[in-house]
Amino acid sequence: MTLRYTFASLAATLLGCTSFAHAQDASLLDEYFTLFETQSANTLPLAETVTFDGTTLPQPIVGRPAVIGFLNQIVPSLGIEEIDVVQRFETLHGACVELVFQYEARDAVEYAHCLEFENGEITAIRLYFDPRPFLREKIAPLVAERIGRAHV
């Protein structure tokens, strides 16, 4: 997998910024995105009460052990080949990053990762994306099977 930009170099290219307002926030953001290179969330600086919420989750995942377990299970299974960083926005308590994930076996998908930071830890992760490319993979074979049966 290739990260086209390191987050340290983004400051010079995105939104005309020369640096993050808080160097610690930039460091936390870098650490979060190493997850996609290392395929392991075990060393992420997550708060004990961290929450992870996403577009397709019925409810947030709460607590460091639960979030690490979820990320360790899902990230390696995604088959991400490349990540393109579109832009990033600093927020009052963290940052949001718009990305495009290029996958081995599906169309590229745009994501927004919004993270909140407090006392040198990630306290919240919110992931927004359009799940239709993933649903097409699951639904297309079922539809083809039903159409095939209807015409036989």
Side-chain angles (χ1 to χ4, degrees):
M1 182 199 51
T2 303
L3 279 172
R4 289 232 178 130
Y5 301 97
T6 63
F7 285 91
S9 70
L10 285 181
T13 58
L14 297 177
L15 306 174
C17 297
T18 56
S19 66
F20 273 82
H22 302 92
Q24 187 176 42
D25 290 356
S27 176
L28 288 170
L29 197 59
D30 278 342
E31 288 185 60
Y32 173 73
F33 282 101
T34 61
L35 160 70
F36 298 100
E37 290 182 290
T38 65
Q39 307 283 297
S40 172
N42 295 336
T43 61
L44 289 179
L46 301 176
E48 282 302 316
T49 58
V50 65
T51 60
F52 182 97
D53 200 3
T55 304
T56 59
L57 293 176
Q59 60 188 25
I61 298 168
V62 179
R64 189 175 196 283
V67 171
I68 286 174
F70 175 77
L71 291 172
N72 281 342
Q73 181 179 12
I74 197 75
V75 170
S77 71
L78 292 174
I80 300 168
E81 287 186 332
E82 194 171 279
I83 299 174
D84 295 326
V85 178
V86 178
Q87 59 185 327
R88 68 127 171 98
F89 303 91
E90 292 182 67
T91 64
L92 186 60
H93 299 289
C96 290
V97 180
E98 182 184 350
L99 311 152
V100 176
F101 284 5
Q102 304 288 335
Y103 293 96
E104 295 168 2
R106 68 177 63 94
D107 294 334
V109 177
E110 289 187 48
Y111 289 84
H113 290 248
C114 296
L115 288 81
E116 293 181 14
F117 312 127
E118 188 176 317
N119 299 323
E121 295 179 316
I122 299 168
T123 57
I125 303 166
R126 289 186 309 280
L127 181 63
Y128 303 98
F129 68 100
D130 180 356
R132 286 180 291 185
F134 299 100
L135 297 175
R136 276 188 222 114
E137 289 177 17
K138 303 287 185 198
I139 294 171
L142 298 173
V143 171
E145 182 180 315
R146 289 191 183 251
I147 289 173
R149 278 195 222 153
H151 287 43
V152 174

